[in-house]
Amino acid sequence: MKRFFFCLIASVCLISCEQEGQEARIVWDTYGVPHIYASNQEDLFFMQGWAQMHNHANHILKLYGTSRGRGAEYWGPSKLADDQLIRTMGFDVLAEEWADSQDPELREIYAAFVRGMNAYAEAHPEAIQPENREVLPITPKDVNMHSMYVVFTRFIGGSDLGRVQRWPDMGSNTYAVGPSRSASGNAMLVQNPHLPWFGEFLFFESNLILEGRRMYGTTLVGFPGIAIGFNENLGWSHTDNTIDNSDLYEVELTEGGYLLDGEPTPFQESATTIRVRQEDGSLSDVELPLFRTEHGPVVKRGDDKALTIRMVGMDRPNMFLQWWRMINSSNLEEFENALQMAQIPFWNVMYADRFGDIFYLFNGLVPQRGQDAWAYWDRVVPGGKSADIWTEVHPYEDLPKVKNPANGWLQNANDPPWTSTIPMTLNPDDYPGYMAPRYMPFRPQRSARMLLEDESVTFEELQEYKLSTRLEFADRILDDLARAVDSLGSDGARAAMDHLEAWDRTADAESTGTLLFFNWAQKFGPYRGSNYAVAWDEEAPTTTPDGLADPARAVQLLEASAEEITGKYGTLEVPWGDYYRINYNGKDLPANGTDGSLGVFRVAWPGSGDEDHLYVGGGDSWVGVIEFADSVRAKVLLSYGNATQPGSPHFGDQLELFSRKEFRDAWFTDSAIESNTSKVEKLEEIQPKNSD
């Protein structure tokens, strides 16, 4: 009897272990997306770390090595400027402070995530390029420092530090459609960040299944969890907002320090040494003096003046825990509880759920400032007054937000919060003047127009809107340009105008008027308010600006554009996709879309070019179109694919879909995953043998 009892226990244990092993696994689909099954958080994040290295090992090591502030030591002088900035900002010290103050749950997530990364590197040394091996092993501090580098120097302080000016439209689109506007009666959501197709801006797609809870979406490569995602009940997206939560101050230097309130004030001085690898492999030392003011670190110093920067968020170490709470929420109340953690210092939030709620939040940490005017802070601020050194931020309750608006939809295309609905629900006069500016460029106008003109939006129509290349700027200005050409134009200008009037006003690959209009618009300057006879007016937000302030100049620019194109190609009949190309990891494909200044919802902005072509450099990166019915419907695309490892079949494998303006299904359920499985890796097979 006793023997039978022990045999029964052994059998039960064996069955239980087999089931547990079967649960804890990575199921890879045919697009290189990992579907990670786990019964606990530690295993889940271990496997996500493994999966990210599987797809991006060398890229991650480059990112982390750079964010450590040791890039010049690993790869030479080209990384010296990054090292200097990271040391100047004090991220190394701040990372230690964050590690001490972070929630224990987040520390456990980081530990499991990097353990998975290191396990992959140990198991697959052949996957690591020799020049990147010195970065190993990865530590939780690397995750903290990488998040600081990306969030603070690329987003919050990117403009003030001069680090985003190369990209014409580093933003996003998003929609939330409520039941009253949805043909099915189900809420729907569009997720659509626009970031560069390189570096620290690449996204990683995964499906996390924890104890049966399904969480699908994306985050930047090297980050744990999901930052833009959905589950069976709800989803959200982020867009860059118009928040001003970084200030660059100019201080006057005096002997031994700077002037503050008319009094000499000493710098907080220190120094650091940066090691720089030379061509022969030897290392040389560069000494970097560091100076801090009451405003923040000095980022540039001259003979009589210095620039110093102040940013929000340095005291918010739990950003990734907040995202983890958001993706684990079941309804709007739980989701708002996560938002009220106020750990994510930037980015609008757009939300929809299966219960019919839609919600928009102008999210972020907004400084409480003494001067009310936006213009006062939207500049290099004179740093002589201590009263201008803010210390507190507005609480969640103060931020602009809209829930279930009467019009039945919400949109954001990097415009201020006031135009999240048309007619406007939020009154900017109810908020401090520094909360957000007042304007609505052509891209958000196109965004709003597509929903304004559709009283009953289907899931299929929402996909079409996301892929629309119709140019709002063309719809607005071509009638004015035609009148100017009629009265002032030469024969050449009239021929060019005839060409534009026959054009379909899209940036589809086959469109033959796009190149001429694009060339003219680049010379004209759509963002320049002085170019219009009627300025933008918040009383008519989707029909202004309008008219030509200088019709003769507009006509001259059109004639010059036509001459350039015919001189080069012999004709104006050049399909946009022949000129505008995707050139990525050896793929050469016709592109569609353009930069957002022309009022296009399908953003694909140029990043490089040669004598004959422009090439896409960024724009639509991750796209999700989701309907929250009894079972979730989702169409997605990660434009450049889910891997960067040399030789990976998923390095650019979705670009053909991008070129054809198509989506793919998000394989969210077990049956869909099983039908599209490429391979399976079990936790027991990939976990180090000496692991607990």
Side-chain angles (χ1 to χ4, degrees), residues 343-354:
Q343 296 292 308
I344 300 172
F346 197 73
W347 299 296
N348 292 298
V349 173
M350 189 70 76
Y351 167 99
D353 67 29
R354 66 180 295 191

Side-chain angles (χ1 to χ4, degrees), residues 242 300 366 488:
T242 56
K300 187 175 182 179
V366 180
L488 301 170

